[in-house]
Amino acid sequence: MLSERRLEVLRAIVQDYVGTEEPVGSKALTERHGLGVSPATVRNDMAVLEDEGYIAQPHTSAGRIPTDKGYRLFVDRLAGVKPLSSPERRAIQNFLEGAVDLDDVVARTVRLLAQLTRQVAVVQYPSLTRSTVRHVELLALAPARLMLVLITDTGRVEQRHVDCPAPFSDTSLADLRARLNSRVVGRRFTDVPQLVQDLPESFDLEDRGTVATVLSTLLETLVEDTEERLMIGGTANLTRFGHDFPLTIRPVLEALEEQVVLLKLLGEAQDPGMTVRIGHENLHEGLTSTSVVAVGYGSGDEAVAKLGVVGPTRMDYPGTMGAVRAVARYVGQILAES
Amino acid sequence: MLSERRLEVLRAIVQDYVGTEEPVGSKALTERHGLGVSPATVRNDMAVLEDEGYIAQPHTSAGRIPTDKGYRLFVDRLAGVKPLSSPERRAIQNFLEGAVDLDDVVARTVRLLAQLTRQVAVVQYPSLTRSTVRHVELLALAPARLMLVLITDTGRVEQRHVDCPAPFSDTSLADLRARLNSRVVGRRFTDVPQLVQDLPESFDLEDRGTVATVLSTLLETLVEDTEERLMIGGTANLTRFGHDFPLTIRPVLEALEEQVVLLKLLGEAQDPGMTVRIGHENLHEGLTSTSVVAVGYGSGDEAVAKLGVVGPTRMDYPGTMGAVRAVARYVGQILAES
DNA sequence: AGCTGGCACTCAGTGAGGCCGAGTGCCAGA
DNA sequence: TCTGGCACTCGGCCTCACTGAGTGCCAGCT
C-alpha cells in the first residue's frame, strides 16, 4: 500500500510531466511542489513507485515519467474532473445553438471538442439501434423503381433505392407507405423486423414480391447502419504529440481512418459514465501510446451515441474529462430540443 | 528557349527526384538516363535551367531539385497522363460498385483515391446548385411543425424542421406537397426560387403564412447547401511527406480541416479538364509545398462536383493524374447508374 | 523507523574537430 | 558545342570530450 506522500509524489510527477513533457527529477519536484521533504526522500519514494510499476525511467540518469499504470492510478484516485469555466460553458452553448441540422450539430461538436481539448475529437452519429422511427417515405422513381427514405427521431436520414420485381401502382405505393408508417412510427429500430413481418400477406398477390423487397431493403438498412457513422476532427493537434512523432503519428492517423477501429474504441466504453482508456488499455496496437476519453450522450436520459477525444497518454486528464463531459451534456440538450 | 536536350534533362531531374527524394547530380543523371552526353555537358545545361528558374540547389555542392516552375513545365509539356493498368481499372470499378448509397460512394471514392495515389484524397459531394430536384417531401411532426426533406437526383438528402405560424391540416399539407413537387421535380436548384414564387397566393389565406415559411426554409436550404460538403481521407499518407515534416505537416492538416479552404482549392480548378496547382500556385499559405490535382466529375457530361488529391509538390504527376482522372470517370458512371 | 546530506556514478545531449565524397564551376582542348 | 580534367565547396557523419541533471546508496541524524 502506498503512503499518502507517495501518492502525492505520483500526482506531482504526472502534473509536471504533462506540463513540461520532460522526465521529472527529484529536485525539481521538491522545488515546484511544496512537498516538505528533501530530494533524497523523494528519490526513495520514487524508487518504490518504480518498483510498483507506476513510473519509469526512459534511461538511467534521467528523471521519471508515469507509466500507463501510473496514469490509471492518477485518474482513478488522484484527480477529479475539472469543470469548465462559465465563459467556456457559454461559448459551447452559443456555438452549438447555431447548428441547422444533425450534420451540422455533429460537425460543430467535433470542432468544439478539438478546440477545447486541443486533441483529436471523435463524435459518433446518434445510433440507429437505439433510435426510433420518425417516418418512412416511399417514392416512385420509375414504375419498378422506388426510393426508400428512413428518418429517425434524432434527425438522421438514410435512403436506398429499391428495384422491384414488378411494377407497382401509385395506389399500392400509398397503401404500403401508410401501413408501414402506422406500424413502425415511434417504434425502436430493433423492434421493426417483427412489426413488419406479416405485412406482405395483407397485399394482393401481385404486389407481394415488391412489398417483400421493400421490407428487406428496409431491414438491410437497419442492419447496415448499425455500423455507425463518425466524424473526426482536430487531427492537426497530433503534431503536438512529441518530437519523434513520425513514428507515433502514423499509426494513429491510420487508426483514425478506420471507422471500425474507432467505433470499437468508443464502444468499449461500456460504462454509463465517462470512460478513460489509457495507453495499452486500448487493444489496437498503434494506439498504445494514446489515451481515449469517451462518454455517451443523448437527447433524453439514455445515451444514443458516444463522443470523445484521442490524445497522447500524456494529457491533462482532469481538463479533458471536464471538456468532454460538458460538451456531451450540451449536445444532449441541443438534440432534445430539435 | 530551351533546347530539346535541356528539357530532357529537366524531365530526368524531376523523375529522379520524385523517385529518390534526394537532390540529383549530373553524374547520376547521365548514368540512369541514356542521355548520350557527359556529366559536364549536363552540368552546363543544369546551370542554364537554374538561371531560368526551373531547378535550384538546396546548398552549394548539392544536386538540383526542381522548383515549382520546373514542375509546372514538366506537367505542361514534358509529361502525359499515365493511364492505369487494366487490373487497376477493374479493381476501381468493383470497389465502387459495391456502394449502397451516396455517402458510401463518396466514402469509397476517397479510400480508393487515397490508396491509388498514396496521398490525401478529397471528394466533394455532388453540388446542389448543379443538381436537379428528385422529390420534396413534407411530413407533419406536430400540428404546427413540419419536416422538409429534399432529395436530389444525385441521391443527396437534406432535411429541415419548419415551425409553422399556424396549424396546418393534413389535406393542406398533401396539397402543398403535390403542388410543390409538380413544379420543381426535375428542375435545377437554381431555378427553384422563381418556380415557387407565386405558390402562396394559390392557397387559402390562413395557410399562406405556413406555405411561405415552408418555401423560405426550402430556399434557405438551397443556399446553405451551396456550401458544399467534402470528405477527405488518406491523411496518414502525409507522414511520407518528408523528414522535416513536423513543420510541413501541421499547416496541411489544418488546411484540410477547413472546408472553406479545401473548397476554394477544388473550386479554383475552373478548367473543365484536369487542374494541377503546384506549390505556390496554391494561394493558401501552408499549402505552398503541396500540389493539388483536381478534376470535375458528374453523372452526365456536365461536372456536378470535383475530386482530387493533395500531396507534396514532389509527387508522381503522371501517375496521380491518371488515377484521379480514372476515378472521376468511374464515379461519374456509378452516379449515372443510380 | 524514517528522513537527510553527501558522494560516486551514469549517461543523454552538445559542440568542436576532422574526414569523406558527391557535386559544382570553370577552363582548355577536341 | 561537347568533353575531360581539376580545384573547390560544403553537408553529413564520425569521434571525442565535456557537462550537468539525475540517480542509488550509505552513514548519520532525529
Side-chain angles (χ1 to χ4, degrees):
Chain A
M1 194 45 211
L2 293 169
S3 74
E4 198 54 40
R5 194 191 58 222
R6 284 186 185 145
L7 291 176
E8 195 53 45
V9 168
L10 177 57
R11 166 193 276 140
I13 291 174
V14 171
Q15 284 174 354
D16 270 27
Y17 183 61
V18 166
T20 64
E21 311 198 7
E22 269 167 20
V24 4
S26 53
K27 192 166 159 224
L29 260 198
T30 52
E31 282 169 4
R32 275 199 277 199
H33 306 261
L35 291 177
V37 290
S38 77
T41 310
V42 171
R43 279 205 288 282
N44 289 331
D45 290 346
M46 283 173 145
V48 174
L49 286 168
E50 184 163 10
D51 278 348
E52 304 280 334
Y54 295 109
I55 56 179
Q57 279 181 293
H59 350 269
T60 335
S61 91
R64 305 305 216 288
I65 63 177
T67 60
D68 290 353
K69 190 178 171 191
Y71 286 121
R72 177 87 272 160
L73 185 61
F74 177 80
V75 168
D76 289 347
R77 298 191 40 203
L78 303 177
V81 174
K82 189 170 137 211
L84 298 191
S85 67
S86 48
E88 279 175 319
R89 299 175 154 272
R90 262 197 302 282
I92 294 179
Q93 195 152 21
N94 286 339
F95 188 62
L96 288 181
E97 270 174 358
V100 296
D101 64 3
L102 181 66
D103 270 332
D104 201 21
V105 170
V106 174
R108 281 167 184 256
T109 306
V110 164
R111 282 186 93 95
L112 198 57
L113 254 186
Q115 228 166 309
L116 282 171
T117 61
R118 305 204 59 193
Q119 270 148 202
V120 180
V122 183
V123 178
Q124 184 182 14
Y125 278 70
S127 152
L128 287 189
T129 29
R130 307 197 188 171
S131 304
T132 59
V133 180
R134 178 176 275 163
H135 185 79
V136 177
E137 182 58 32
L138 286 169
L139 307 173
L141 300 179
R145 191 126 206 255
L146 304 179
M147 176 179 247
L148 173 72
V149 181
L150 182 66
I151 304 174
T152 82
D153 61 337
T154 47
R156 188 159 155 189
V157 180
E158 292 294 326
Q159 102 281 9
R160 288 287 185 286
H161 294 288
V162 185
D163 285 309
C164 313
F168 202 56
S169 72
D170 278 356
T171 50
S172 300
L173 186 67
D175 193 21
L176 175 57
R177 183 192 297 128
R179 289 204 217 175
L180 198 52
N181 276 292
S182 73
R183 294 207 184 189
V184 301
V185 167
R187 296 317 196 88
R188 291 174 150 259
F189 276 42
T190 41
D191 300 336
V192 169
Q194 67 211 53
L195 288 169
V196 300
Q197 203 176 344
D198 60 338
L199 209 50
E201 295 164 23
S202 60
F203 280 81
D204 288 344
L205 209 66
E206 53 181 332
D207 284 342
R208 279 187 201 168
T210 295
V211 171
T213 311
V214 169
L215 291 182
S216 75
T217 305
L218 176 60
L219 300 184
E220 214 170 80
T221 308
L222 298 179
V223 173
E224 262 164 17
D225 286 344
T226 315
E227 291 175 24
E228 321 285 355
R229 287 174 58 205
L230 295 168
M231 187 172 275
I232 75 171
T235 47
N237 292 325
L238 285 176
T239 52
R240 301 184 311 115
F241 227 77
H243 334 275
D244 56 338
F245 68 98
L247 295 170
T248 329
I249 207 176
R250 160 132 235 191
V252 178
L253 274 172
E254 273 167 2
L256 290 176
E257 297 225 334
E258 290 294 332
Q259 303 246 338
V260 192
V261 173
L262 278 182
L263 284 168
K264 236 197 305 196
L265 225 54
L266 292 180
E268 278 168 3
Q270 296 298 0
D271 194 336
M274 204 160 357
T275 311
V276 181
R277 313 209 116 235
I278 298 167
H280 293 80
E281 295 171 9
N282 295 304
L283 304 178
H284 187 81
E285 68 172 327
L287 292 180
T288 47
S289 55
T290 63
S291 287
V292 178
V293 177
V295 69
Y297 70 91
S299 47
D301 34 349
E302 197 180 6
V304 295
K306 306 213 159 132
L307 57 77
V309 303
V310 179
T313 48
R314 170 196 18 79
M315 68 161 73
D316 167 20
Y317 289 95
T320 305
M321 290 165 79
V324 168
R325 192 174 65 185
V327 169
R329 279 195 192 145
Y330 284 111
V331 176
Q333 278 181 27
I334 297 289
L335 285 182
E337 284 165 18
S338 63
Chain B
M1 193 47 211
L2 293 169
S3 74
E4 197 54 40
R5 194 190 58 224
R6 284 184 186 144
L7 292 176
E8 195 54 42
V9 169
L10 177 57
R11 166 192 277 140
I13 291 174
V14 171
Q15 284 174 354
D16 270 25
Y17 183 60
V18 166
T20 63
E21 310 197 9
E22 270 168 19
V24 3
S26 53
K27 191 165 160 224
L29 260 198
T30 53
E31 282 170 4
R32 274 198 279 198
H33 306 261
L35 291 177
V37 290
S38 77
T41 310
V42 171
R43 279 206 287 283
N44 289 330
D45 290 345
M46 282 172 144
V48 174
L49 287 168
E50 184 163 10
D51 279 348
E52 305 280 333
Y54 295 109
I55 57 179
Q57 277 180 293
H59 349 268
T60 334
S61 93
R64 305 305 215 289
I65 62 177
T67 59
D68 289 354
K69 190 178 171 192
Y71 285 121
R72 176 87 274 160
L73 186 61
F74 177 80
V75 168
D76 288 347
R77 299 191 38 204
L78 303 177
V81 175
K82 189 170 135 208
L84 299 189
S85 67
S86 48
E88 279 174 320
R89 299 176 153 269
R90 262 198 302 282
I92 294 178
Q93 195 153 21
N94 286 339
F95 188 61
L96 288 181
E97 270 174 359
V100 297
D101 64 3
L102 182 66
D103 270 333
D104 201 21
V105 170
V106 174
R108 281 168 183 253
T109 306
V110 164
R111 282 186 95 94
L112 197 56
L113 253 186
Q115 229 166 310
L116 282 171
T117 62
R118 305 202 58 193
Q119 271 148 204
V120 180
V122 183
V123 178
Q124 185 183 10
Y125 278 70
S127 150
L128 286 189
T129 30
R130 307 197 188 172
S131 303
T132 60
V133 180
R134 179 176 273 163
H135 185 79
V136 178
E137 182 58 34
L138 286 169
L139 306 173
L141 301 179
R145 191 128 206 255
L146 304 179
M147 175 179 248
L148 173 73
V149 182
L150 181 66
I151 304 174
T152 83
D153 62 335
T154 47
R156 188 159 154 188
V157 180
E158 292 294 326
Q159 101 281 10
R160 290 284 186 286
H161 294 287
V162 186
D163 285 309
C164 312
F168 201 57
S169 72
D170 278 356
T171 50
S172 301
L173 186 68
D175 194 20
L176 175 58
R177 183 192 297 128
R179 289 204 218 176
L180 198 53
N181 275 292
S182 74
R183 294 205 186 193
V184 301
V185 167
R187 296 317 197 88
R188 287 171 153 262
F189 276 43
T190 41
D191 300 336
V192 169
Q194 67 209 55
L195 288 169
V196 300
Q197 203 175 345
D198 59 337
L199 209 51
E201 295 164 22
S202 60
F203 279 81
D204 289 346
L205 209 66
E206 53 182 330
D207 283 343
R208 280 187 201 168
T210 296
V211 171
T213 311
V214 169
L215 291 183
S216 75
T217 305
L218 175 59
L219 300 184
E220 214 171 80
T221 308
L222 298 181
V223 172
E224 263 164 16
D225 286 344
T226 315
E227 290 175 24
E228 322 283 358
R229 287 174 57 206
L230 294 168
M231 186 172 273
I232 75 171
T235 47
N237 291 325
L238 286 175
T239 52
R240 302 185 310 116
F241 227 77
H243 335 275
D244 55 339
F245 68 100
L247 296 169
T248 328
I249 206 174
R250 160 132 235 193
V252 178
L253 275 172
E254 273 166 3
L256 289 176
E257 297 225 333
E258 291 296 332
Q259 303 247 337
V260 193
V261 173
L262 277 182
L263 284 168
K264 237 201 300 198
L265 225 55
L266 292 180
E268 278 169 1
Q270 296 297 1
D271 194 336
M274 204 160 356
T275 311
V276 180
R277 313 209 116 236
I278 298 167
H280 293 80
E281 294 170 10
N282 295 305
L283 305 178
H284 187 80
E285 70 171 326
L287 291 181
T288 48
S289 55
T290 63
S291 287
V292 178
V293 176
V295 69
Y297 70 92
S299 47
D301 33 351
E302 199 180 5
V304 294
K306 307 215 160 131
L307 57 78
V309 304
V310 179
T313 49
R314 170 195 20 78
M315 69 161 72
D316 168 19
Y317 290 94
T320 304
M321 291 165 79
V324 168
R325 192 175 66 185
V327 170
R329 280 196 191 145
Y330 284 112
V331 176
Q333 278 182 25
I334 298 289
L335 286 182
E337 284 165 16
S338 64

